[in-house]
Every structure is written in C-alpha cells, then in structure tokens.
Amino acid sequence: MPNTIEFLFDVGSPTAYLAWHRLKGVVARTGAPLVPVPILLGGVFKATGGMPPGVVAAKGRWMNEDMARFAARDGITLVMNPQFPVNTITMMRILAGLQDDARFAAVTDTLFAGMWQQARAMADPAVLAATLTEAGHDADALLALAGSDTVKQRLIANTQAAIARGVFGAPTCFVAGQMHFGQDRIDWVEAAAA
C-alpha cells in the first residue's frame, strides 16, 4: 500500500505551483493519497528567519531558469508573476477553509492559475474575486469564508505545526516521516510514496 504524501504549500510559491502539478502525476502512478496542507509562507519565513530565494539576485536568476526547465519538461505552463512576491493571506485562508471540502482541488487550481499562468495581481481583492468567479466559483462565499475566525485560526495552526516539524519553506512534502523540500525533490517523494 502506498504511503500518504502530505503537501505543505502556499500559492505564492512558483515552485509549489510546479510541485502541485507534478504531484498529480505521482498520485496517478502510485495511488498514494495526497493530503494538501495550506500554510502561510510569510509566517514560516518570519518564524525561521527565511527569505524568498530571489532576494539573492544570482540565485533568483538561476532559480527562474531552473523552474522554466522543469515546466518545459513536464508540460506545465509557467509565467513569472511580475507582482511576485505576493501577499497570499486571503488566498491561503480560503484554502484553509476548504481543507476538508470537495472544492479544495478546483479552487487550488484556480488560485495557482491566477498566480502562475495568468500572472494576475491576486493580492488585489477585485482581481481575486474576478478570478474565482471566472472559474465558476462563488467568490463572495469564498471571501466570506476567508474572513471567518475559525478559518484564520486554522491557517495559523497549520503554519505553526509546519514550523514545529522543521518546515522552512514551500513546497515541503512529508512521506513516511521524511521531509522533502522543494519541487525538485518530487522524484524522492514518489519513491518514498511507492
């Protein structure tokens, strides 16, 4: 029986976007259950002293080239968002609110597409609402969900639990007790899941 893959992510991470799409193939090949866990990457960075990799100019250039290679190899559309880095708190609250909901995957696809296929200004409430509506989601209901105290606390709890487990960035996967950081470790995730 395949091992469960826990996928800790923030839609503001282009590497989490690539991992999300690559994990779909892993799940199809292995039958491993996927448990996505929304976290707030800004909260992780604040607690751990981390920073986005693009802060170091040479590393940012290399990372953009590396992500483009992975995207091309795997047939994933990737458009770098000129608003990056983006405040994702509303989007991640929506996903925390949907964590156990059948709409989770579809809304996650929509938010990732808005960020990394359409390169929209997703921190703008009007743009976020339009993106959700265009994809057939009830934007008003989802934005109201994001404002719920219960949902806000769930995102905080998810983020704090991730930090307690040693998470320092996104995407991070856990399989059979092992932590795998980065979309470039999905091959290791697949091996551990199988």
Side-chain angles (χ1 to χ4, degrees):
M1 181 170 188
N3 289 311
T4 297
I5 301 168
E6 290 178 83
F7 173 60
L8 287 67
F9 74 102
D10 184 313
V11 296
S13 164
T15 53
Y17 162 72
L18 292 175
W20 172 250
H21 286 289
R22 294 184 69 206
L23 284 168
K24 292 177 184 184
V26 171
V27 168
R29 288 188 295 275
T30 64
L34 180 65
V35 178
V37 180
I39 62 172
L40 191 62
L41 190 52
V44 171
F45 284 163
K46 184 176 180 182
T48 63
M51 300 176 83
V55 170
V56 178
K59 187 174 184 178
R61 282 191 302 276
W62 171 84
M63 188 173 164
N64 287 344
E65 292 172 7
D66 193 56
M67 288 187 299
R69 282 191 292 268
F70 274 101
R73 183 195 73 181
D74 296 328
I76 301 168
T77 300
L78 174 64
V79 178
M80 291 311 294
N81 194 315
Q83 286 83 34
F84 180 78
V86 174
N87 181 339
T88 61
I89 194 161
T90 302
M91 292 182 282
M92 297 316 296
R93 284 177 176 166
I94 288 170
L95 293 179
L98 295 177
Q99 202 165 335
D100 301 316
D101 189 293
R103 298 170 291 172
F104 183 90
V107 174
T108 301
D109 281 338
T110 297
L111 297 177
F112 269 135
M115 282 292 303
W116 304 112
Q117 291 175 13
Q118 300 154 351
R120 293 182 173 186
M122 297 292 284
D124 180 323
V127 173
L128 175 57
T131 302
L132 291 166
T133 300
E134 288 166 16
H137 306 294
D138 183 341
D140 290 338
L142 292 174
L143 291 170
L145 181 67
S148 154
D149 287 339
T150 302
V151 166
K152 291 176 182 178
Q153 287 306 310
R154 176 182 272 183
L155 183 59
I156 290 168
N158 285 356
T159 304
Q160 290 174 338
I163 294 162
R165 293 175 79 182
V167 170
F168 54 86
T172 298
C173 292
F174 286 92
V175 185
Q178 289 187 325
M179 185 172 92
H180 304 272
F181 170 71
Q183 71 85 23
D184 53 344
R185 299 301 190 270
I186 298 300
D187 293 344
W188 290 101
V189 170
E190 182 166 359

